[in-house]
Amino acid sequence: MVELTKGQLRKVQMTELEMLEEVDRICKKCNIHYNIIAGTLLGAVRHGGFIPWDDDADVAMLRPEYEKFRNACKTELDTTRYEFQDHRNTKGYRWGYGKLRRKDTFFLREYQEQMPYFQGVFIDIFPLDAVPDNYCLRTLKNFECFCVRKILWSKIGKKADPCPVKRKVFQLLDKIPVGKVFAYYHQMIKKAAKKKTRMVRILMFPTPNSEWGYLRCWYENSTDTVFEGKVFWGIKDYDSYLSFKFGEYRELPPMEMRKAHPVSRLKV
């Protein structure tokens, strides 16, 4: 595993800042609504930019906007510098959301060495889909999301999980044809689109709260947000969102929690 120096980490962050600017450029040109979210929004509010130890950046769009962004990338993306990946255009890609990658870089997460696609420095582009407003139904939906996500993760989990029993389980899950898994995922998306609910979530990403979702209105109402001296769209009611997601978000976490993702190879 490569432990990033402060200089290397800052280079990664500045590369990700370039990609955030590219997303912002495309979205504003094509009238696509987005928000910086999660640790990126927290960094903007608490630090004025990247959380000092953070090595990624997150953007979210409600599903219709995400699909518009996917299509816009086909004609608007600066392909001399960037590549947009998701499971529909990248062979071997096993995530239920997109990544924008910087060409001529390398940022290989630990245990993902065998994945058969370009792995440059990236930012995540997350689609948000409706989940039931009824708590019991939303809890069941969360379990469904968990199961599908773990099947997709199995290609990595069968090597990466520290528990031998779980590695065996992932070996079995990895035998499920990935095409069938994504076909099921698309049925989940189609079903979610039938009703505009109060709650949304990223279906194929953990939702670490007992509500198993987030308020749709947070993502519908945005404001100019300064991040590393640049202006992006961020959730207007950031205090409610960040309090919901992180609790006392203005307090710094203990040192042992200030960690970047494990990386096995890096070129910036």
Side-chain angles (χ1 to χ4, degrees):
M1 186 181 80
V2 177
E3 187 168 337
L4 275 63
T5 66
K6 286 185 178 180
Q8 288 174 322
L9 176 58
R10 192 59 178 164
K11 284 184 178 180
V12 169
Q13 291 175 342
M14 290 300 97
T15 302
E16 292 167 348
L17 181 63
E18 281 183 22
M19 289 187 278
L20 286 173
E21 290 184 277
E22 178 71 354
V23 170
D24 180 74
R25 181 188 69 81
I26 293 171
C27 288
K28 287 179 177 172
K29 180 177 180 180
C30 300
N31 195 29
I32 299 169
H33 189 79
Y34 78 91
N35 285 285
I36 57 171
I37 62 160
T40 308
L41 183 60
L42 173 60
V45 173
R46 193 172 68 192
H47 302 275
F50 283 98
I51 296 171
W53 54 90
D54 202 4
D55 62 3
D56 63 7
D58 301 314
V59 171
M61 304 171 188
L62 293 170
R63 174 63 66 175
E65 303 301 293
Y66 178 83
E67 298 302 331
K68 285 165 63 177
F69 181 78
R70 279 190 67 251
N71 288 325
C73 282
K74 297 173 185 177
T75 55
E76 302 297 334
L77 183 66
D78 179 359
T79 54
T80 64
R81 294 193 295 164
Y82 308 111
E83 178 180 325
F84 177 75
Q85 299 175 335
D86 81 351
H87 65 278
R88 287 168 283 187
N89 70 0
T90 305
K91 187 176 180 180
Y93 191 90
R94 295 178 71 94
W95 320 120
Y97 48 90
K99 291 180 184 288
L100 188 65
R101 302 262 190 189
R102 180 64 163 91
K103 292 182 175 180
D104 300 320
T105 68
F106 212 75
F107 189 82
L108 187 58
R109 290 274 177 89
E110 193 174 25
Y111 299 112
Q112 296 190 27
E113 294 85 354
Q114 80 277 21
M115 305 308 279
Y117 50 80
F118 166 62
Q119 298 195 61
V121 175
F122 67 91
I123 62 174
D124 288 317
I125 314 292
F126 291 115
L128 295 155
D129 292 286
V131 290
D133 288 329
N134 177 277
Y135 182 75
C136 293
L137 293 177
R138 196 162 66 249
T139 301
L140 290 173
K141 174 60 67 175
N142 181 68
F143 180 70
E144 180 186 27
C145 293
F146 170 84
C147 292
V148 178
R149 189 175 75 248
K150 289 302 180 183
I151 296 171
L152 292 174
W153 170 254
S154 62
K155 180 71 67 178
I156 297 167
K158 67 182 183 180
K159 294 183 178 181
D161 199 287
C163 174
V165 175
K166 289 183 179 179
R167 288 201 300 270
K168 291 290 186 183
V169 172
F170 281 128
Q171 287 176 15
L172 294 174
L173 293 177
D174 189 39
K175 296 182 183 299
I176 300 172
V178 69
K180 291 187 179 297
V181 183
F182 276 120
Y184 185 89
Y185 173 49
H186 280 277
Q187 289 301 312
M188 293 173 67
I189 294 170
K190 190 179 295 185
K191 185 177 179 181
K194 290 180 179 179
K195 186 177 180 181
K196 184 176 180 179
T197 59
R198 188 175 62 93
M199 303 289 284
V200 297
R201 66 168 285 174
I202 306 159
L203 297 179
M204 292 296 105
F205 198 81
T207 301
N209 61 67
S210 59
E211 291 296 323
W212 315 125
Y214 299 87
L215 294 176
R216 179 187 295 271
C217 63
W218 283 334
Y219 304 97
E220 291 177 329
N221 298 291
S222 306
T223 191
D224 287 346
T225 303
V226 178
F227 181 86
E228 295 290 346
K230 310 291 183 179
V231 178
F232 301 101
W233 287 334
I235 293 171
K236 186 174 184 179
D237 188 7
Y238 66 83
D239 184 66
S240 295
Y241 168 79
L242 293 175
S243 296
F244 179 81
K245 187 170 181 63
F246 297 109
E248 296 296 331
Y249 66 88
R250 292 192 181 276
E251 296 180 5
L252 293 176
M255 291 297 297
E256 63 270 16
M257 293 181 66
R258 303 180 193 181
K259 295 179 180 178
H261 295 92
V263 178
S264 60
R265 184 179 164 192
L266 175 70
K267 174 193 169 187
V268 185

